[in-house]
Amino acid sequence: MNTRGEIGEFSQIFNGLMDLMRRFIFRVLRAGSIPNHISFIMDGNRRFAKRHNLKGLDAGHRAGFISVTCVLQYCKEIGVPYVTLYAFGFDNFKREPEEVKCLMDLMLEKVELTIDQAISGNLKGVRVIFAGDLNSLNERFRAAAQRLMEITEENRGLMIVVCVAYCTSHEIVHAVRESCVRKCDDGDGNVVLELSEIEEYMYTSAVPDPDLVIRTGGGDRLSNFMTWQTSKSLLHTTAALWPELGLWHLVWAILKFQRLQGYLQKKQKLD
Ligand code: FPP
Ligand code: MG
């Protein structure tokens, strides 16, 4: 066998061992409680590109998408039912127009790719939802997002919420406006809103509140991301840049969640 053949065989054995080890770790993890909903604030893509001398405005975000696919696969294997991704905050529209276009093009490319995967049956039960002010996005992206939501609608496995053109302040304004319009349409002139009515019109109403929020890139802020829904969530931050987030970071965050479970439950009862 030549050297290339030997390397190929060695990497096959290595990947097989890594798979086995991962499955074993996840089984151990499942002996404790698993967060019902994990939210990810994906930060640090551009720093990653700079650090690794990657060329192109979307290079860091492309590397970030590889992390997205790995993290989603891990969550699926661990058995997390709901995952939310902060893919594009409303404030991100303030970036250079070229970068905004690059990011939008990249997301469109990935959404269209995911549509193809869904059609060929490769999504295996995954449901995808887009949350945010979708009207502020271009027609082609809106149509692709709508299509992906429709074709995965019946899936009952992992539910992924992709937050695009999202921020909680807009989400609340949207929900209050919609609730008022609905009440006025019902002919009730005296509009008194209930909390449950507002919550019904939140962009992220399809998912329960997150149990665990993981933020990469060294920041300790929520950056207007699900601030309404995370008052009782555990916030885990890591200095790892989003494209660097790996298996161990996720396992570590879940172990921390398990370790603080008692404390979190006690707090939730008291609030
Ligand atoms: C923050 O890093 C990251 C973003 C604004 C974009 C995240 C998007 C992806 C990873 C692609 C996801 C696509 C889909 C369809 C889910 P940053 O740009 O703020 O980097 P920095 O903090 O280093 O400046
Ligand atoms: Mg950033």
Side-chain angles (χ1 to χ4, degrees), residues 42-72 85 99 102-103 106-107 109-110 216 240-246:
M42 311 184 282
D43 197 20
N45 290 350
R46 293 181 300 186
R47 275 169 282 165
F48 179 85
K50 209 168 166 189
R51 201 174 279 177
H52 293 271
N53 243 326
L54 305 178
K55 299 278 171 273
L57 278 175
D58 62 355
H61 303 306
R62 282 194 177 272
F65 188 77
I66 299 173
S67 271
V68 169
T69 51
C70 292
V71 162
L72 291 176
L85 301 168
E99 193 196 339
C102 257
L103 241 170
L106 170 68
M107 283 198 286
E109 176 192 318
K110 299 306 177 189
T216 59
L241 306 175
W242 175 254
E244 294 168 346
L245 193 88

Side-chain angles (χ1 to χ4, degrees), residues 65-226:
F65 188 77
I66 299 173
S67 271
V68 169
T69 51
C70 292
V71 162
L72 291 176
Q73 180 60 30
Y74 298 154
C75 287
K76 202 167 166 224
E77 288 176 20
I78 293 168
V80 177
Y82 303 99
V83 169
T84 310
L85 301 168
Y86 199 10
F88 190 87
F90 211 87
D91 273 355
N92 291 146
F93 279 120
K94 293 180 194 154
R95 293 187 177 191
E96 291 298 319
E98 295 79 20
E99 193 196 339
V100 173
K101 184 176 180 316
C102 257
L103 241 170
M104 284 299 160
D105 289 349
L106 170 68
M107 283 198 286
L108 177 65
E109 176 192 318
K110 299 306 177 189
V111 172
E112 289 181 339
L113 188 89
T114 315
I115 292 175
D116 291 343
Q117 288 178 328
I119 291 171
S120 53
N122 286 334
L123 274 197
K124 299 200 173 70
V126 172
R127 182 174 179 195
V128 185
I129 285 181
F130 288 84
D133 181 7
L134 302 188
N135 289 329
S136 61
L137 301 169
N138 69 54
E139 179 58 39
R140 188 162 166 203
F141 187 91
R142 263 208 317 270
Q146 194 56 43
R147 174 114 175 87
L148 185 55
M149 286 196 273
E150 278 164 17
I151 44 181
T152 60
E153 199 173 22
E154 303 296 325
N155 293 349
R156 289 292 170 263
L158 171 66
M159 188 191 278
I160 303 165
V161 181
V162 184
C163 293
V164 192
Y166 173 92
C167 69
T168 314
S169 20
H170 281 210
E171 181 180 33
I172 294 170
V173 171
H174 165 83
V176 172
R177 276 198 191 131
E178 285 296 314
S179 317
C180 286
V181 168
R182 173 67 70 96
K183 279 227 154 160
C184 291
D185 283 354
D186 287 350
D188 187 344
N190 196 11
V191 179
V192 178
L193 297 178
E194 302 295 335
L195 181 63
S196 60
E197 290 167 316
I198 298 174
E199 283 182 337
E200 193 185 329
Y201 290 102
M202 297 290 267
Y203 293 135
T204 51
S205 62
V207 284
D209 291 349
D211 302 293
L212 175 61
V213 180
I214 300 179
R215 178 176 183 138
T216 59
D220 289 316
R221 302 166 293 117
L222 284 176
S223 300
N224 218 339
F225 177 63
M226 298 188 96

